[in-house]
Amino acid sequence: MSNVLKSFGLLTALTLSASVLPACVSPMQARDTSLSASHTKLAAFNASASSKSQALAPAASAGTSASAAAQADAQPYYYVAPSGSDQAGTGSEASPWQTVQRAVDAAMKTGGTVYLRGGIYNQSLKLTGAPGAANSAAHLTVASYPSETAVLDGTDLPVALTGALIELSDVSRVTVRGLEVRNYKTAKSGSVPIGIYVHGAGEAVSLLDNKVHDIGNTSTPKGSDLSGRDAHGIAVYGTKSPASIRDLTISGNEVYNLTLGSSEALVLNGNVEKFTIENNHVHDNDNIGIDAIGFEGTSPDSKYDQARNGTITGNVVTGNTAVRNPSYGMPVPNEAYSAGGIYVDGGRDIVIERNRSENNDIGIEIASEHRGRSTSGITVRSNLVVRNAMTGIAIGGYDKKRGSTTNSIITGNTVAYNDTLEWGTGQLYIQFDTQDNIVQNNIFVASGSNTLIRNDYTENTRNKVDYNLYFAPDNKKGSWVWKKKNYSSFDAYRKGSANDANSLFVDPQFVDAKQGNYRLKSGSPAVASGVVDAVLNAANDFDGKPRGQSANGLPSRGAYE
């Protein structure tokens, strides 16, 4: 991860002064019936994935925000087009400006909507503060014109110490929707290019249905810590206190093909609270997919220095791996399978639910990299975590110099065929210093290593593990490591660990795991056989069905009812 976002260099967009112009007319009568081009393409991706395996589509399709294009955008309207003119234009639909910054500067005084006509803009953009007059409730939307795609392209734009194609500084009541943000790169060590960067403090910011790709730093890492190579696709840094970034929505975006170094594709860091990260497709990046971070000194007051009180739901996170990332070892490939699909590092009170995490290095990880600090209050429920390289779900610090995972719940997940490397890291990887966690109502199915749980540390206190279902299909015999002790049979493991008294070792009877369908056959022993679980029942299963509504009142084990 990156700890280099300490100051922000000047952006290179042309900034022109603008007077407030009369309100312009709406681009269409029925705005609420249209979808942006990026929205449509991402929906097509999920339709294609569903045709191969309906099981792998999240309950709400990734790449589709819940609120985008659901209502008419606010007036007044301002327009920008690649063929427009900042000198002769008026900002109307018939006479648009050419520079996005010109339109945004005008719109920040009034609120309303800036529409970017389709085409390529070799520009960057910065917004500061809240739209409208002081104490107003004005909102500003910056969006692609309906049924068109505006592209902010960073080709040949310089990157200072930190640079962004879209920067939101201390912003409130702003939505960025339906833009393509791409090709912002540097080979300069220590510079950090970012697609969309939100920082400072503010509220009611929404990033909806954007496509962010080909952002990166390609410099050669330096020193023993292999530093100087960092980038982000979408980064939110709460850098103030007590004022936070709050009521944040990041929904329906596609974030991919990023060269991240030691940083993350989509990250919340520091004083960020009351957030929703939903229905995004984060894929094929060279480090962590989605990350919620604490304890890095991002906020000036340690009391507020944690991403917290948020939800990560309905995302598709695939193909994120550090194995060809030189920030984790050279030469590449480096066998550094350390990139989590979804990672909470020092965050607290976060729900991770109904996500699909597949073909990453680690499916979901809740841990703390900072000694004496804890990731706590995390709920991991109804997720599909399959075929990740190193392990399915990991908790605890990765060595004794790190922090802990405490008071968290892992319930109702299907965790299957991870540890594809067959290193024996298993489906559930319990690392250093785990305390007062609950692991129940899950399905764990081993890969060829046959390892189900791997726990190489004795700093494992008051963790409750029960009412799970285990299986090892290759030889019908699994293995467990608990507090450094190896067990080669289910009975020996239960007796030696005192875990899983009410758990099963049996085939869960997936509909068709080879084709990616991890739903349960009607006769599955996992159906309606879990333990009553208010946390699990508080939300729907992976398919969007209510949990714990069977005749006996019990939930099914795994991600599906």
Side-chain angles (χ1 to χ4, degrees):
M1 77 181 43
S2 170
N3 193 27
V4 297
L5 293 177
K6 296 180 180 178
S7 61
F8 198 83
L10 294 175
L11 295 178
T12 58
L14 177 62
T15 303
L16 299 174
S17 61
S19 59
V20 179
L21 297 180
C24 305
V25 297
S26 169
M28 59 190 304
Q29 296 297 316
R31 175 67 185 90
D32 59 327
T33 64
S34 69
L35 294 174
S36 70
S38 62
H39 180 136
T40 303
K41 290 178 181 178
L42 285 170
F45 161 80
N46 285 290
S48 175
S50 295
S51 67
K52 181 178 180 181
S53 168
Q54 293 181 356
L56 293 184
S61 296
T64 305
S65 74
S67 56
Q71 69 232 355
D73 291 319
Q75 297 185 36
Y77 302 109
Y78 302 90
Y79 297 84
V80 186
S83 59
S85 171
D86 288 344
Q87 289 72 40
T90 63
S92 67
E93 185 171 12
S95 183
W97 288 314
Q98 185 179 57
T99 305
V100 182
Q101 191 71 53
R102 172 74 180 270
V104 167
D105 287 346
M108 283 294 287
K109 298 176 182 178
T110 63
T113 304
V114 174
Y115 283 120
L116 281 65
R117 300 304 302 257
I120 297 174
Y121 299 81
N122 190 218
Q123 307 170 23
S124 56
L125 171 64
K126 180 175 181 177
L127 292 80
T128 302
N135 301 316
S136 79
H139 191 100
L140 172 63
T141 297
V142 181
S144 285
Y145 187 90
S147 301
E148 299 179 5
T149 300
V151 180
L152 291 187
D153 191 298
T155 300
D156 295 328
L157 293 181
V159 180
L161 178 63
T162 302
L165 284 177
I166 300 176
E167 180 193 359
L168 307 181
S169 175
D170 294 319
V171 161
S172 293
R173 305 190 307 278
V174 168
T175 295
V176 177
R177 188 185 70 229
L179 304 179
E180 183 173 351
V181 180
R182 73 185 191 191
N183 295 339
Y184 193 45
K185 299 179 180 180
T186 184
K188 183 179 178 181
S189 179
S191 292
V192 184
I194 305 172
I196 303 175
Y197 181 34
V198 183
H199 65 101
E203 61 183 7
V205 172
S206 297
L207 309 178
L208 309 178
D209 294 333
N210 302 289
K211 180 180 290 189
V212 181
H213 64 98
D214 292 281
I215 312 294
N217 186 316
T218 59
S219 66
T220 300
K222 296 182 177 180
S224 59
D225 58 352
L226 298 175
S227 63
R229 179 182 171 113
D230 293 279
H232 296 286
I234 297 175
V236 181
Y237 273 61
T239 58
K240 296 186 175 181
S241 63
S244 63
I245 294 175
R246 59 189 299 155
D247 301 319
L248 169 77
T249 301
I250 301 176
S251 179
N253 303 282
E254 185 179 11
V255 184
Y256 64 99
N257 199 31
L258 308 180
T259 305
L260 300 166
S262 56
S263 296
E264 310 83 19
L266 194 167
V267 62
L268 311 184
N269 194 325
N271 195 4
V272 183
E273 62 178 332
K274 298 182 180 179
F275 60 83
T276 300
I277 301 176
E278 64 178 356
N279 303 334
N280 301 285
H281 184 203
V282 183
H283 64 96
D284 299 298
N285 304 295
D286 73 351
N287 205 354
I288 297 161
I290 298 172
D291 200 355
I293 300 176
F295 309 125
E296 287 201 332
T298 301
S299 171
D301 188 332
S302 60
K303 291 188 299 185
Y304 301 98
D305 195 25
Q306 289 180 276
R308 61 196 184 277
N309 300 325
T311 301
I312 301 171
T313 180
N315 302 283
V316 174
V317 188
T318 61
N320 299 288
T321 176
V323 73
R324 294 189 178 278
N325 184 336
S327 294
Y328 291 88
M330 295 185 288
V332 295
N334 52 26
E335 296 194 354
Y337 294 91
S338 59
I342 298 172
Y343 186 24
V344 179
D345 168 23
R348 66 170 173 85
D349 302 322
I350 296 170
V351 175
I352 303 171
E353 64 182 9
R354 300 174 63 218
N355 301 282
R356 164 191 161 197
S357 183
E358 181 177 9
N359 289 329
N360 307 290
D361 292 340
I362 300 168
I364 296 174
E365 184 171 13
I366 55 174
S368 174
E369 296 185 12
H370 299 275
R371 190 167 191 165
R373 301 288 193 171
S374 176
T375 290
S376 62
I378 311 302
T379 297
V380 181
R381 66 185 175 201
S382 299
N383 298 283
L384 181 62
V385 185
V386 295
R387 304 187 189 281
N388 295 284
M390 184 179 177
T391 193
I393 296 177
I395 66 175
Y398 62 77
D399 62 31
K400 289 192 174 185
K401 296 180 181 179
R402 309 303 145 190
S404 60
T405 302
T406 63
N407 296 298
S408 295
I409 299 173
I410 299 170
T411 180
N413 303 283
T414 295
V415 187
Y417 308 107
N418 302 286
D419 186 17
T420 60
L421 296 168
E422 299 187 12
W423 285 359
T425 37
Q427 306 307 302
L428 176 63
Y429 191 28
I430 301 175
Q431 303 175 105
F432 174 68
D433 200 0
T434 57
Q435 305 171 37
D436 301 301
N437 302 293
I438 296 172
V439 180
Q440 64 185 23
N441 287 325
N442 303 286
I443 293 175
F444 296 110
V445 178
S447 68
S449 74
N450 295 311
T451 303
L452 289 152
I453 295 178
R454 179 68 175 260
N455 170 217
D456 293 326
Y457 295 90
T458 58
E459 293 83 358
N460 170 341
T461 307
R462 299 181 301 278
N463 295 305
K464 178 184 176 183
V465 184
D466 203 357
Y467 288 95
N468 299 295
L469 185 152
Y470 300 93
F471 193 55
D474 281 5
N475 68 357
K476 308 300 187 293
K477 185 178 180 181
S479 66
W480 293 257
V481 179
W482 188 259
K483 295 185 178 180
K484 293 187 176 181
K485 294 184 179 180
N486 292 276
Y487 302 96
S488 58
S489 75
F490 188 46
D491 288 342
Y493 156 70
R494 289 201 293 184
K495 182 178 179 181
S497 68
N499 292 334
D500 285 305
N502 298 287
S503 294
L504 305 172
F505 184 85
V506 64
D507 188 343
Q509 298 182 31
F510 295 134
V511 170
D512 192 345
K514 290 184 178 180
Q515 294 300 313
N517 190 337
Y518 297 91
R519 295 180 179 86
L520 303 172
K521 295 179 181 178
S522 59
S524 166
V527 172
S529 68
V531 64
V532 174
D533 186 336
V535 171
L536 182 60
N537 292 352
N540 292 335
D541 77 351
F542 191 84
D543 266 347
K545 298 177 181 177
R547 304 220 64 156
Q549 302 297 309
S550 60
N552 63 7
L554 301 178
S556 295
R557 308 184 203 209
Y560 297 95
E561 286 294 310

